Amino acid sequence: GEDSRSFHVSIQGTPPSMASAGEIPIITAVPGGQLLLECPEGAEPHPNIEWHREGSLLQEDARRQVLARGRFLQVLAVAAADGGEYSCRATSTARDTGPRVRVRVHG
């Protein structure tokens, strides 16, 4: 089936640029900016949510932080290496993967 939920993205200092390519939204980020991805899993209370980049579990570090028990993924000081396909998955559901978004870094 198709998942019609979308990601909400804000890029600090720059208007968000979002274009659709097939079923996966594309987010254009700016190097040095801030990226905020929201996982649209709507369960209340929020289950544990995992974020993946290019199919691998995303590890938090000084620049990449998972907020609100996984509902948001914040990337600070965006770099070209941050580009790629991101997905979130609620661990309390049986689905293999959740909604996806592709991030491109230009500049």
Side-chain angles (χ1 to χ4, degrees), residues 17-96:
S17 173
M18 196 163 180
S20 182
E23 295 182 9
I24 303 175
I26 296 176
I27 308 302
T28 301
V30 178
Q34 174 179 313
L35 184 64
L36 185 66
L37 302 177
E38 179 181 356
C39 186
E41 300 289 351
E44 290 287 347
H46 294 296
N48 291 327
I49 297 173
E50 294 177 344
W51 281 90
H52 296 108
R53 181 181 168 277
E54 296 294 335
S56 298
L57 183 64
L58 189 75
Q59 299 296 325
E60 290 185 79
D61 57 29
R63 292 190 315 108
R64 298 181 297 188
Q65 296 181 349
V66 175
L67 309 174
R69 288 193 287 183
R71 185 172 178 195
F72 297 97
L73 173 65
Q74 177 178 269
V75 181
L76 303 174
V78 172
D82 294 316
E85 187 175 291
Y86 289 78
S87 63
C88 60
R89 179 170 65 98
T91 57
S92 65
T93 67
R95 295 188 315 171
D96 288 337

